[in-house]
Each structure stands twice: as C-alpha cells, then as structure tokens.
Amino acid sequence: EPEVTQTPSHQVTQMGQEVILRCVPISNHLYFYWYRQILGQKVEFLVSFYNNEISEKSEIFDDQFSVERPDGSNFTLKIRSTKLEDSAMYFCASSEDGDGGYTFGSGTRLTVV
Amino acid sequence: QKEVEQNSGPLSVPEGAIASLNCTYSDRGSQSFFWYRQYSGKSPELIMSIYSNGDKEDGRFTAQLNKASQYVSLLIRDSQPSDSATYLCAVRPYNNAGNMLTFGGGTRLMVKP
C-alpha cells in the first residue's frame, strides 16, 4: 500500500537552530499538508500546499515556518530559530483530491533543547 | 473559532461489545467528516469518511452523521483488544480553500479481553 515517508523519525535540536523536516508524499497525490501534535494535545493544522504554492496556512504558521517542494517528490518544512515550544510531533500528509481524507506519514518527533 | 469536541474518555468496553464514539462540531456549514484511529506514539490512520446524513458502514465500523444536530458518531461492532486506541474526529470546514481538517481531541478507547 502506498505510504507517506517522513525523515528523520526523531530530531533533537538546540534552541535557535534551524531544522528541515522532510516528506515524500504518495506519488499520485496532488495536495500536501503539515500538521503538528504537541504531546497530549490535538492534531493542529499548519499549512496546505497545492500546485506549487501554499493554499492555506494557520496562525501557527508564521514567518518562522516555510515549506518547499524542491523537486517532484520531496515536500519539506523548515523551522527557523526553533523555540522550546516547537517541540512536537510533526506529521506530513497527502491526498489525491481536495475532498477526501488524508494519508499521514509516520511523523517526525522534534525535540528542542 | 471552529471547534470539534469529543469526550476524552477513556471509554472502556468488553471484548465483543459495541463501542460508540461521539463528536460534535461548531461549523454548521461543514460538509466532510472523518474518523481517524491513532495508536499511542503513531500517526493518525483514516478509518471512515462520511459526507451525507445517515449511516455509512464499512466492515465492523459504522459512521453516523446528523448535520442538523451537528453530530457525528462512530460505532465499532464486535470490539477487539486491537481496537484499543485514540479515535480522532476530523471535520473539513465550509468554504475551505486549503482542504484543511479541524481535529477533535480524541476519545481513548480501551477494549478489555
């Protein structure tokens, strides 16, 4: 069964550093998303991406965050100047169309120390 | 603020029983509704989607939607210990350019052998 692949599975970084989280969506999917889940809390929307541009972003997705699709397969989330409160599980997801549910990747656990 | 509310549980049912999970949402114009299962430390996995009022069955799972009451539920028949997980209700708000989903906090289900 096709799957969304995320790397790394766990990233530890020092406060103030930049991190890049990587995702390979399912190949025939057109819509890509990043969500995060702070331990014990809800899954929160960050950003959606379609046709090589951001289609929607949440209040969380401020200037500290950026997304990029550098080639035909990868989808990345960059977090600049990381803060302690950025520690969370970050999930990439993709969907074939805009109406259905998503397939989530296995997540990257980001720990900021 | 568009909200999706779920009882956090835990909901404890004996093996073989029917588990009933409930969700309410605040955005009356919402059109798409999803149930995800999330095992501890894992990513959400799509179980069911429902778009029209009424019931939708898939194997042991039945999703029920009542848009007038802004209520969606998930029934799990013949519950198994492997069904023990957190069940997330997700709603796609109306007029949503980015296809984002708003997630509830989840209901933890425990199926006891």
Short mmCIF file of all heavy atoms in Angstrom, two decimals, chain B residues 13-80:
data_model
loop_
_atom_site.label_atom_id
_atom_site.label_comp_id
_atom_site.label_asym_id
_atom_site.label_seq_id
_atom_site.Cartn_x
_atom_site.Cartn_y
_atom_site.Cartn_z
N VAL B 13 -14.83 -0.81 27.09
CA VAL B 13 -15.86 -1.77 26.70
C VAL B 13 -15.25 -3.16 26.73
O VAL B 13 -14.04 -3.33 26.51
CB VAL B 13 -16.42 -1.47 25.28
CG1 VAL B 13 -17.05 -0.09 25.23
CG2 VAL B 13 -15.36 -1.63 24.21
N PRO B 14 -16.07 -4.17 26.99
CA PRO B 14 -15.55 -5.54 26.96
C PRO B 14 -15.40 -6.03 25.53
O PRO B 14 -16.10 -5.56 24.62
CB PRO B 14 -16.61 -6.34 27.71
CG PRO B 14 -17.86 -5.55 27.56
CD PRO B 14 -17.46 -4.11 27.46
N GLU B 15 -14.51 -6.95 25.33
CA GLU B 15 -14.31 -7.56 24.00
C GLU B 15 -15.64 -8.11 23.49
O GLU B 15 -16.40 -8.75 24.23
CB GLU B 15 -13.28 -8.68 24.09
CG GLU B 15 -12.94 -9.33 22.77
CD GLU B 15 -11.81 -10.34 22.89
OE1 GLU B 15 -11.24 -10.48 24.01
OE2 GLU B 15 -11.47 -10.99 21.89
N GLY B 16 -15.93 -7.82 22.22
CA GLY B 16 -17.15 -8.30 21.60
C GLY B 16 -18.31 -7.33 21.67
O GLY B 16 -19.32 -7.50 20.98
N ALA B 17 -18.19 -6.30 22.48
CA ALA B 17 -19.27 -5.32 22.65
C ALA B 17 -19.20 -4.27 21.54
O ALA B 17 -18.26 -4.23 20.74
CB ALA B 17 -19.16 -4.66 24.02
N ILE B 18 -20.23 -3.41 21.52
CA ILE B 18 -20.24 -2.28 20.58
C ILE B 18 -19.68 -1.05 21.30
O ILE B 18 -20.12 -0.70 22.40
CB ILE B 18 -21.68 -1.99 20.10
CG1 ILE B 18 -22.22 -3.16 19.29
CG2 ILE B 18 -21.70 -0.70 19.26
CD1 ILE B 18 -23.68 -3.00 18.88
N ALA B 19 -18.72 -0.41 20.66
CA ALA B 19 -18.18 0.84 21.18
C ALA B 19 -18.81 1.99 20.40
O ALA B 19 -18.89 1.95 19.17
CB ALA B 19 -16.66 0.87 21.04
N SER B 20 -19.26 3.01 21.11
CA SER B 20 -19.91 4.16 20.49
C SER B 20 -19.13 5.42 20.82
O SER B 20 -18.98 5.78 21.99
CB SER B 20 -21.35 4.28 20.99
OG SER B 20 -21.97 5.42 20.44
N LEU B 21 -18.62 6.07 19.79
CA LEU B 21 -17.79 7.25 19.95
C LEU B 21 -18.51 8.43 19.31
O LEU B 21 -19.05 8.33 18.21
CB LEU B 21 -16.44 7.03 19.26
CG LEU B 21 -15.69 5.77 19.71
CD1 LEU B 21 -14.61 5.41 18.74
CD2 LEU B 21 -15.12 5.99 21.10
N ASN B 22 -18.50 9.57 20.00
CA ASN B 22 -19.30 10.71 19.57
C ASN B 22 -18.44 11.95 19.35
O ASN B 22 -17.38 12.12 19.97
CB ASN B 22 -20.37 11.00 20.61
CG ASN B 22 -21.22 9.79 20.89
OD1 ASN B 22 -21.67 9.11 19.97
ND2 ASN B 22 -21.43 9.48 22.16
N CYS B 23 -18.98 12.83 18.53
CA CYS B 23 -18.25 14.05 18.16
C CYS B 23 -19.27 15.12 17.79
O CYS B 23 -20.25 14.84 17.09
CB CYS B 23 -17.35 13.71 16.96
SG CYS B 23 -16.56 15.11 16.15
N THR B 24 -19.06 16.33 18.27
CA THR B 24 -19.89 17.46 17.84
C THR B 24 -18.98 18.52 17.23
O THR B 24 -17.79 18.61 17.56
CB THR B 24 -20.67 18.07 19.02
OG1 THR B 24 -19.75 18.51 20.02
CG2 THR B 24 -21.64 17.07 19.61
N TYR B 25 -19.56 19.31 16.33
CA TYR B 25 -18.77 20.34 15.65
C TYR B 25 -19.54 21.63 15.60
O TYR B 25 -20.77 21.63 15.64
CB TYR B 25 -18.37 19.86 14.25
CG TYR B 25 -19.52 19.53 13.35
CD1 TYR B 25 -20.05 20.47 12.47
CD2 TYR B 25 -20.10 18.26 13.36
CE1 TYR B 25 -21.11 20.16 11.64
CE2 TYR B 25 -21.16 17.95 12.53
CZ TYR B 25 -21.67 18.90 11.68
OH TYR B 25 -22.72 18.59 10.86
N SER B 26 -18.83 22.73 15.51
CA SER B 26 -19.48 24.03 15.63
C SER B 26 -19.81 24.68 14.28
O SER B 26 -20.74 25.50 14.20
CB SER B 26 -18.59 24.98 16.44
OG SER B 26 -17.37 25.22 15.76
N ASP B 27 -19.06 24.34 13.22
CA ASP B 27 -19.26 24.98 11.92
C ASP B 27 -20.43 24.31 11.19
O ASP B 27 -20.27 23.23 10.63
CB ASP B 27 -17.98 24.89 11.09
CG ASP B 27 -18.10 25.59 9.75
OD1 ASP B 27 -19.14 26.25 9.50
OD2 ASP B 27 -17.17 25.49 8.94
N ARG B 28 -21.58 24.96 11.17
CA ARG B 28 -22.78 24.36 10.61
C ARG B 28 -22.64 24.05 9.12
O ARG B 28 -23.31 23.17 8.60
CB ARG B 28 -23.96 25.31 10.86
CG ARG B 28 -25.29 24.81 10.35
CD ARG B 28 -26.44 25.67 10.85
NE ARG B 28 -26.66 25.49 12.28
CZ ARG B 28 -27.36 24.48 12.79
NH1 ARG B 28 -27.89 23.56 12.01
NH2 ARG B 28 -27.53 24.39 14.09
N GLY B 29 -21.77 24.76 8.44
CA GLY B 29 -21.62 24.55 7.00
C GLY B 29 -20.66 23.43 6.62
O GLY B 29 -20.47 23.16 5.44
N SER B 30 -20.10 22.76 7.60
CA SER B 30 -19.13 21.69 7.32
C SER B 30 -19.77 20.60 6.46
O SER B 30 -20.94 20.26 6.63
CB SER B 30 -18.60 21.08 8.61
OG SER B 30 -17.90 22.05 9.36
N GLN B 31 -18.97 20.06 5.52
CA GLN B 31 -19.51 19.10 4.56
C GLN B 31 -18.85 17.73 4.62
O GLN B 31 -19.43 16.75 4.15
CB GLN B 31 -19.33 19.66 3.14
CG GLN B 31 -20.05 20.96 2.89
CD GLN B 31 -21.55 20.80 2.95
OE1 GLN B 31 -22.11 19.83 2.44
NE2 GLN B 31 -22.22 21.75 3.60
N SER B 32 -17.66 17.66 5.16
CA SER B 32 -16.90 16.41 5.12
C SER B 32 -16.44 16.06 6.52
O SER B 32 -15.94 16.92 7.25
CB SER B 32 -15.67 16.55 4.21
OG SER B 32 -16.02 17.08 2.97
N PHE B 33 -16.58 14.76 6.83
CA PHE B 33 -16.32 14.32 8.20
C PHE B 33 -15.52 13.01 8.15
O PHE B 33 -15.79 12.15 7.31
CB PHE B 33 -17.65 14.10 8.94
CG PHE B 33 -18.53 15.30 8.86
CD1 PHE B 33 -19.38 15.48 7.78
CD2 PHE B 33 -18.49 16.28 9.84
CE1 PHE B 33 -20.19 16.61 7.68
CE2 PHE B 33 -19.28 17.40 9.76
CZ PHE B 33 -20.13 17.57 8.68
N PHE B 34 -14.57 12.90 9.05
CA PHE B 34 -13.66 11.76 9.00
C PHE B 34 -13.40 11.23 10.41
O PHE B 34 -13.40 11.98 11.38
CB PHE B 34 -12.32 12.19 8.38
CG PHE B 34 -12.46 12.85 7.04
CD1 PHE B 34 -12.64 14.22 6.94
CD2 PHE B 34 -12.44 12.09 5.88
CE1 PHE B 34 -12.79 14.84 5.71
CE2 PHE B 34 -12.59 12.70 4.65
CZ PHE B 34 -12.77 14.07 4.56
N TRP B 35 -13.18 9.94 10.47
CA TRP B 35 -12.72 9.30 11.70
C TRP B 35 -11.34 8.72 11.44
O TRP B 35 -11.12 7.99 10.47
CB TRP B 35 -13.68 8.20 12.14
CG TRP B 35 -14.91 8.73 12.80
CD1 TRP B 35 -16.13 8.90 12.23
CD2 TRP B 35 -15.04 9.16 14.15
NE1 TRP B 35 -17.00 9.42 13.15
CE2 TRP B 35 -16.37 9.59 14.33
CE3 TRP B 35 -14.16 9.24 15.24
CZ2 TRP B 35 -16.84 10.08 15.55
CZ3 TRP B 35 -14.63 9.72 16.44
CH2 TRP B 35 -15.95 10.14 16.60
N TYR B 36 -10.42 9.06 12.35
CA TYR B 36 -9.06 8.52 12.31
C TYR B 36 -8.81 7.73 13.59
O TYR B 36 -9.33 8.06 14.65
CB TYR B 36 -8.03 9.65 12.21
CG TYR B 36 -7.91 10.29 10.86
CD1 TYR B 36 -8.80 11.29 10.45
CD2 TYR B 36 -6.90 9.91 9.97
CE1 TYR B 36 -8.67 11.88 9.21
CE2 TYR B 36 -6.78 10.50 8.73
CZ TYR B 36 -7.67 11.48 8.36
OH TYR B 36 -7.54 12.07 7.12
N ARG B 37 -7.99 6.72 13.47
CA ARG B 37 -7.53 5.96 14.63
C ARG B 37 -6.06 6.28 14.85
O ARG B 37 -5.27 6.30 13.89
CB ARG B 37 -7.71 4.46 14.37
CG ARG B 37 -7.21 3.55 15.48
CD ARG B 37 -7.54 2.10 15.16
NE ARG B 37 -6.91 1.64 13.95
CZ ARG B 37 -7.31 0.57 13.24
NH1 ARG B 37 -8.36 -0.13 13.66
NH2 ARG B 37 -6.68 0.22 12.15
N GLN B 38 -5.68 6.52 16.09
CA GLN B 38 -4.29 6.84 16.41
C GLN B 38 -3.83 5.97 17.58
O GLN B 38 -4.29 6.15 18.70
CB GLN B 38 -4.11 8.32 16.73
CG GLN B 38 -2.66 8.73 16.91
CD GLN B 38 -2.47 10.22 17.14
OE1 GLN B 38 -3.32 10.89 17.71
NE2 GLN B 38 -1.35 10.76 16.68
N TYR B 39 -2.93 5.06 17.29
CA TYR B 39 -2.30 4.30 18.36
C TYR B 39 -1.25 5.18 19.02
O TYR B 39 -0.70 6.09 18.40
CB TYR B 39 -1.66 3.02 17.81
CG TYR B 39 -2.65 2.00 17.30
CD1 TYR B 39 -2.76 1.71 15.95
CD2 TYR B 39 -3.48 1.32 18.19
CE1 TYR B 39 -3.66 0.76 15.48
CE2 TYR B 39 -4.39 0.38 17.72
CZ TYR B 39 -4.49 0.12 16.37
OH TYR B 39 -5.39 -0.81 15.91
N SER B 40 -0.97 4.90 20.28
CA SER B 40 -0.04 5.71 21.06
C SER B 40 1.31 5.83 20.36
O SER B 40 1.93 4.82 19.99
CB SER B 40 0.14 5.09 22.45
OG SER B 40 1.02 5.87 23.22
N GLY B 41 1.75 7.05 20.14
CA GLY B 41 3.04 7.30 19.51
C GLY B 41 3.06 7.14 18.01
O GLY B 41 4.12 7.23 17.39
N LYS B 42 1.90 6.89 17.42
CA LYS B 42 1.82 6.68 15.97
C LYS B 42 1.04 7.80 15.30
O LYS B 42 0.50 8.68 15.95
CB LYS B 42 1.16 5.33 15.68
CG LYS B 42 1.85 4.14 16.31
CD LYS B 42 3.25 3.93 15.74
CE LYS B 42 3.89 2.67 16.31
NZ LYS B 42 5.26 2.48 15.79
N SER B 43 0.99 7.74 13.98
CA SER B 43 0.27 8.76 13.23
C SER B 43 -1.19 8.38 13.07
O SER B 43 -1.56 7.20 13.18
CB SER B 43 0.93 8.95 11.87
OG SER B 43 0.90 7.74 11.13
N PRO B 44 -2.05 9.36 12.80
CA PRO B 44 -3.47 9.06 12.56
C PRO B 44 -3.65 8.23 11.29
O PRO B 44 -2.97 8.45 10.28
CB PRO B 44 -4.10 10.44 12.40
CG PRO B 44 -3.16 11.39 13.07
CD PRO B 44 -1.80 10.82 12.83
N GLU B 45 -4.59 7.30 11.35
CA GLU B 45 -4.89 6.40 10.24
C GLU B 45 -6.37 6.56 9.90
O GLU B 45 -7.23 6.39 10.77
CB GLU B 45 -4.58 4.96 10.66
CG GLU B 45 -4.96 3.90 9.65
CD GLU B 45 -4.88 2.51 10.27
OE1 GLU B 45 -4.65 2.39 11.49
OE2 GLU B 45 -5.08 1.54 9.52
N LEU B 46 -6.68 6.86 8.66
CA LEU B 46 -8.06 7.09 8.24
C LEU B 46 -8.87 5.79 8.30
O LEU B 46 -8.46 4.78 7.74
CB LEU B 46 -8.08 7.64 6.82
CG LEU B 46 -9.45 7.96 6.23
CD1 LEU B 46 -10.14 9.07 7.02
CD2 LEU B 46 -9.32 8.36 4.76
N ILE B 47 -10.00 5.85 9.01
CA ILE B 47 -10.90 4.70 9.09
C ILE B 47 -12.11 4.89 8.20
O ILE B 47 -12.49 4.00 7.44
CB ILE B 47 -11.39 4.49 10.54
CG1 ILE B 47 -10.23 4.23 11.49
CG2 ILE B 47 -12.38 3.35 10.62
CD1 ILE B 47 -10.69 4.17 12.93
N MET B 48 -12.76 6.05 8.34
CA MET B 48 -14.04 6.26 7.67
C MET B 48 -14.14 7.72 7.24
O MET B 48 -13.63 8.61 7.91
CB MET B 48 -15.21 5.97 8.62
CG MET B 48 -15.38 4.55 9.07
SD MET B 48 -16.19 3.54 7.84
CE MET B 48 -17.83 4.23 7.82
N SER B 49 -14.86 7.93 6.16
CA SER B 49 -15.27 9.27 5.78
C SER B 49 -16.78 9.24 5.57
O SER B 49 -17.34 8.20 5.19
CB SER B 49 -14.57 9.70 4.49
OG SER B 49 -14.87 8.79 3.44
N ILE B 50 -17.44 10.35 5.84
CA ILE B 50 -18.89 10.43 5.63
C ILE B 50 -19.21 11.85 5.22
O ILE B 50 -18.65 12.82 5.76
CB ILE B 50 -19.67 9.96 6.88
CG1 ILE B 50 -21.16 9.89 6.58
CG2 ILE B 50 -19.35 10.81 8.10
CD1 ILE B 50 -21.96 9.11 7.63
N TYR B 51 -20.13 11.98 4.24
CA TYR B 51 -20.43 13.28 3.68
C TYR B 51 -21.92 13.61 3.73
O TYR B 51 -22.30 14.79 3.65
CB TYR B 51 -19.96 13.35 2.22
CG TYR B 51 -18.50 13.03 2.04
CD1 TYR B 51 -18.08 11.74 1.72
CD2 TYR B 51 -17.52 14.00 2.20
CE1 TYR B 51 -16.74 11.43 1.57
CE2 TYR B 51 -16.17 13.71 2.04
CZ TYR B 51 -15.79 12.42 1.72
OH TYR B 51 -14.46 12.13 1.56
N SER B 52 -22.77 12.56 3.84
CA SER B 52 -24.22 12.77 3.80
C SER B 52 -24.85 12.31 5.11
O SER B 52 -24.32 11.41 5.78
CB SER B 52 -24.84 11.97 2.66
OG SER B 52 -24.24 12.30 1.44
N ASN B 53 -25.98 12.90 5.45
CA ASN B 53 -26.71 12.47 6.63
C ASN B 53 -27.05 10.98 6.55
O ASN B 53 -27.33 10.45 5.48
CB ASN B 53 -28.02 13.26 6.76
CG ASN B 53 -27.81 14.62 7.38
OD1 ASN B 53 -26.92 14.82 8.20
ND2 ASN B 53 -28.62 15.57 6.98
N GLY B 54 -27.00 10.32 7.70
CA GLY B 54 -27.34 8.92 7.75
C GLY B 54 -26.17 8.08 8.18
O GLY B 54 -25.25 8.57 8.83
N ASP B 55 -26.24 6.81 7.83
CA ASP B 55 -25.23 5.84 8.23
C ASP B 55 -24.38 5.41 7.04
O ASP B 55 -24.86 5.32 5.92
CB ASP B 55 -25.91 4.59 8.82
CG ASP B 55 -26.66 4.88 10.10
OD1 ASP B 55 -26.67 6.04 10.55
OD2 ASP B 55 -27.24 3.93 10.66
N LYS B 56 -23.14 5.10 7.35
CA LYS B 56 -22.24 4.52 6.35
C LYS B 56 -21.48 3.39 7.04
O LYS B 56 -20.85 3.61 8.07
CB LYS B 56 -21.26 5.58 5.81
CG LYS B 56 -20.28 5.02 4.79
CD LYS B 56 -19.33 6.11 4.31
CE LYS B 56 -18.31 5.55 3.34
NZ LYS B 56 -17.34 6.60 2.92
N GLU B 57 -21.56 2.21 6.44
CA GLU B 57 -20.96 1.03 7.07
C GLU B 57 -19.74 0.57 6.27
O GLU B 57 -19.74 0.56 5.05
CB GLU B 57 -22.01 -0.09 7.14
CG GLU B 57 -21.57 -1.32 7.92
CD GLU B 57 -22.72 -2.31 8.07
OE1 GLU B 57 -23.85 -1.88 8.34
OE2 GLU B 57 -22.45 -3.52 7.91
N ASP B 58 -18.72 0.12 7.02
CA ASP B 58 -17.53 -0.47 6.38
C ASP B 58 -17.00 -1.52 7.33
O ASP B 58 -16.33 -1.19 8.32
CB ASP B 58 -16.48 0.61 6.11
CG ASP B 58 -15.26 0.06 5.39
OD1 ASP B 58 -15.22 -1.15 5.09
OD2 ASP B 58 -14.33 0.84 5.11
N GLY B 59 -17.34 -2.76 7.06
CA GLY B 59 -16.91 -3.83 7.95
C GLY B 59 -17.52 -3.70 9.33
O GLY B 59 -18.74 -3.58 9.46
N ARG B 60 -16.69 -3.67 10.35
CA ARG B 60 -17.20 -3.55 11.73
C ARG B 60 -17.49 -2.10 12.13
O ARG B 60 -17.96 -1.84 13.23
CB ARG B 60 -16.18 -4.14 12.70
CG ARG B 60 -15.96 -5.63 12.56
CD ARG B 60 -15.07 -6.20 13.67
NE ARG B 60 -13.72 -5.65 13.65
CZ ARG B 60 -13.21 -4.86 14.60
NH1 ARG B 60 -13.94 -4.49 15.65
NH2 ARG B 60 -11.96 -4.43 14.51
N PHE B 61 -17.18 -1.17 11.25
CA PHE B 61 -17.33 0.25 11.55
C PHE B 61 -18.56 0.84 10.87
O PHE B 61 -18.84 0.54 9.71
CB PHE B 61 -16.10 1.03 11.08
CG PHE B 61 -14.81 0.60 11.74
CD1 PHE B 61 -13.94 -0.27 11.09
CD2 PHE B 61 -14.46 1.07 12.99
CE1 PHE B 61 -12.76 -0.67 11.69
CE2 PHE B 61 -13.28 0.68 13.59
CZ PHE B 61 -12.42 -0.20 12.94
N THR B 62 -19.30 1.68 11.62
CA THR B 62 -20.41 2.44 11.07
C THR B 62 -20.26 3.89 11.51
O THR B 62 -20.16 4.16 12.70
CB THR B 62 -21.77 1.90 11.54
OG1 THR B 62 -21.92 0.56 11.10
CG2 THR B 62 -22.90 2.75 10.98
N ALA B 63 -20.22 4.78 10.53
CA ALA B 63 -20.23 6.21 10.83
C ALA B 63 -21.65 6.72 10.67
O ALA B 63 -22.37 6.31 9.77
CB ALA B 63 -19.27 6.95 9.91
N GLN B 64 -22.02 7.62 11.56
CA GLN B 64 -23.37 8.21 11.51
C GLN B 64 -23.23 9.73 11.53
O GLN B 64 -22.44 10.27 12.30
CB GLN B 64 -24.19 7.75 12.72
CG GLN B 64 -24.39 6.25 12.80
CD GLN B 64 -25.09 5.83 14.09
OE1 GLN B 64 -24.77 6.32 15.18
NE2 GLN B 64 -26.04 4.92 13.97
N LEU B 65 -23.99 10.39 10.67
CA LEU B 65 -23.92 11.84 10.57
C LEU B 65 -25.31 12.44 10.68
O LEU B 65 -26.24 12.00 10.02
CB LEU B 65 -23.28 12.24 9.23
CG LEU B 65 -23.22 13.72 8.89
CD1 LEU B 65 -22.40 14.49 9.93
CD2 LEU B 65 -22.68 13.93 7.49
N ASN B 66 -25.40 13.48 11.51
CA ASN B 66 -26.64 14.25 11.64
C ASN B 66 -26.25 15.72 11.57
O ASN B 66 -25.80 16.31 12.57
CB ASN B 66 -27.33 13.93 12.97
CG ASN B 66 -28.66 14.64 13.12
OD1 ASN B 66 -28.83 15.77 12.63
ND2 ASN B 66 -29.60 14.00 13.78
N LYS B 67 -26.38 16.30 10.39
CA LYS B 67 -25.93 17.68 10.20
C LYS B 67 -26.81 18.67 10.95
O LYS B 67 -26.33 19.71 11.41
CB LYS B 67 -25.89 18.03 8.71
CG LYS B 67 -24.80 17.32 7.95
CD LYS B 67 -24.76 17.78 6.50
CE LYS B 67 -23.64 17.08 5.74
NZ LYS B 67 -23.60 17.52 4.32
N ALA B 68 -28.09 18.37 11.09
CA ALA B 68 -28.98 19.28 11.81
C ALA B 68 -28.55 19.42 13.27
O ALA B 68 -28.60 20.50 13.85
CB ALA B 68 -30.42 18.79 11.72
N SER B 69 -28.10 18.33 13.84
CA SER B 69 -27.64 18.34 15.23
C SER B 69 -26.14 18.57 15.34
O SER B 69 -25.61 18.63 16.46
CB SER B 69 -28.00 17.01 15.91
OG SER B 69 -29.39 16.81 15.91
N GLN B 70 -25.47 18.66 14.20
CA GLN B 70 -24.00 18.89 14.16
C GLN B 70 -23.29 17.83 14.98
O GLN B 70 -22.48 18.13 15.88
CB GLN B 70 -23.68 20.31 14.64
CG GLN B 70 -24.24 21.35 13.69
CD GLN B 70 -24.08 22.79 14.19
OE1 GLN B 70 -25.04 23.52 14.34
NE2 GLN B 70 -22.85 23.16 14.45
N TYR B 71 -23.59 16.60 14.62
CA TYR B 71 -23.18 15.45 15.40
C TYR B 71 -22.74 14.34 14.46
O TYR B 71 -23.40 14.05 13.46
CB TYR B 71 -24.40 15.03 16.22
CG TYR B 71 -24.26 13.80 17.06
CD1 TYR B 71 -23.88 13.91 18.39
CD2 TYR B 71 -24.56 12.54 16.56
CE1 TYR B 71 -23.80 12.79 19.20
CE2 TYR B 71 -24.47 11.41 17.35
CZ TYR B 71 -24.10 11.55 18.68
OH TYR B 71 -24.01 10.43 19.47
N VAL B 72 -21.61 13.75 14.78
CA VAL B 72 -21.14 12.60 14.00
C VAL B 72 -20.65 11.54 14.99
O VAL B 72 -20.07 11.89 16.03
CB VAL B 72 -20.04 13.02 13.00
CG1 VAL B 72 -18.86 13.66 13.69
CG2 VAL B 72 -19.60 11.86 12.14
N SER B 73 -20.92 10.29 14.69
CA SER B 73 -20.52 9.24 15.62
C SER B 73 -19.87 8.08 14.86
O SER B 73 -20.01 7.96 13.64
CB SER B 73 -21.73 8.74 16.42
OG SER B 73 -22.67 8.15 15.56
N LEU B 74 -19.20 7.26 15.61
CA LEU B 74 -18.57 6.05 15.07
C LEU B 74 -18.94 4.88 15.97
O LEU B 74 -18.73 4.95 17.19
CB LEU B 74 -17.05 6.19 15.01
CG LEU B 74 -16.29 4.98 14.48
CD1 LEU B 74 -16.52 4.82 12.98
CD2 LEU B 74 -14.78 5.11 14.77
N LEU B 75 -19.52 3.85 15.37
CA LEU B 75 -19.80 2.62 16.10
C LEU B 75 -18.81 1.55 15.67
O LEU B 75 -18.56 1.39 14.46
CB LEU B 75 -21.23 2.13 15.80
CG LEU B 75 -22.37 3.08 16.15
CD1 LEU B 75 -23.71 2.46 15.76
CD2 LEU B 75 -22.36 3.42 17.63
N ILE B 76 -18.28 0.85 16.63
CA ILE B 76 -17.38 -0.27 16.34
C ILE B 76 -18.05 -1.52 16.91
O ILE B 76 -18.21 -1.65 18.13
CB ILE B 76 -15.99 -0.08 16.98
CG1 ILE B 76 -15.39 1.27 16.56
CG2 ILE B 76 -15.06 -1.22 16.57
CD1 ILE B 76 -14.07 1.60 17.27
N ARG B 77 -18.46 -2.42 16.01
CA ARG B 77 -19.10 -3.66 16.44
C ARG B 77 -18.04 -4.70 16.73
O ARG B 77 -16.93 -4.66 16.20
CB ARG B 77 -20.04 -4.17 15.35
CG ARG B 77 -21.30 -3.35 15.19
CD ARG B 77 -22.19 -3.95 14.09
NE ARG B 77 -21.49 -3.93 12.80
CZ ARG B 77 -21.41 -2.85 12.04
NH1 ARG B 77 -21.95 -1.71 12.45
NH2 ARG B 77 -20.78 -2.90 10.88
N ASP B 78 -18.41 -5.67 17.60
CA ASP B 78 -17.51 -6.79 17.93
C ASP B 78 -16.11 -6.25 18.27
O ASP B 78 -15.10 -6.64 17.67
CB ASP B 78 -17.45 -7.77 16.76
CG ASP B 78 -16.69 -9.05 17.11
OD1 ASP B 78 -16.61 -9.38 18.30
OD2 ASP B 78 -16.16 -9.69 16.17
N SER B 79 -16.05 -5.34 19.21
CA SER B 79 -14.78 -4.67 19.56
C SER B 79 -13.72 -5.69 19.94
O SER B 79 -14.00 -6.68 20.64
CB SER B 79 -15.01 -3.70 20.73
OG SER B 79 -15.87 -2.66 20.36
N GLN B 80 -12.50 -5.44 19.48
CA GLN B 80 -11.36 -6.30 19.75
C GLN B 80 -10.31 -5.53 20.55
O GLN B 80 -10.21 -4.31 20.43
CB GLN B 80 -10.76 -6.79 18.43
CG GLN B 80 -11.72 -7.56 17.56
CD GLN B 80 -12.20 -8.84 18.23
OE1 GLN B 80 -11.38 -9.63 18.71
NE2 GLN B 80 -13.51 -9.03 18.29
#
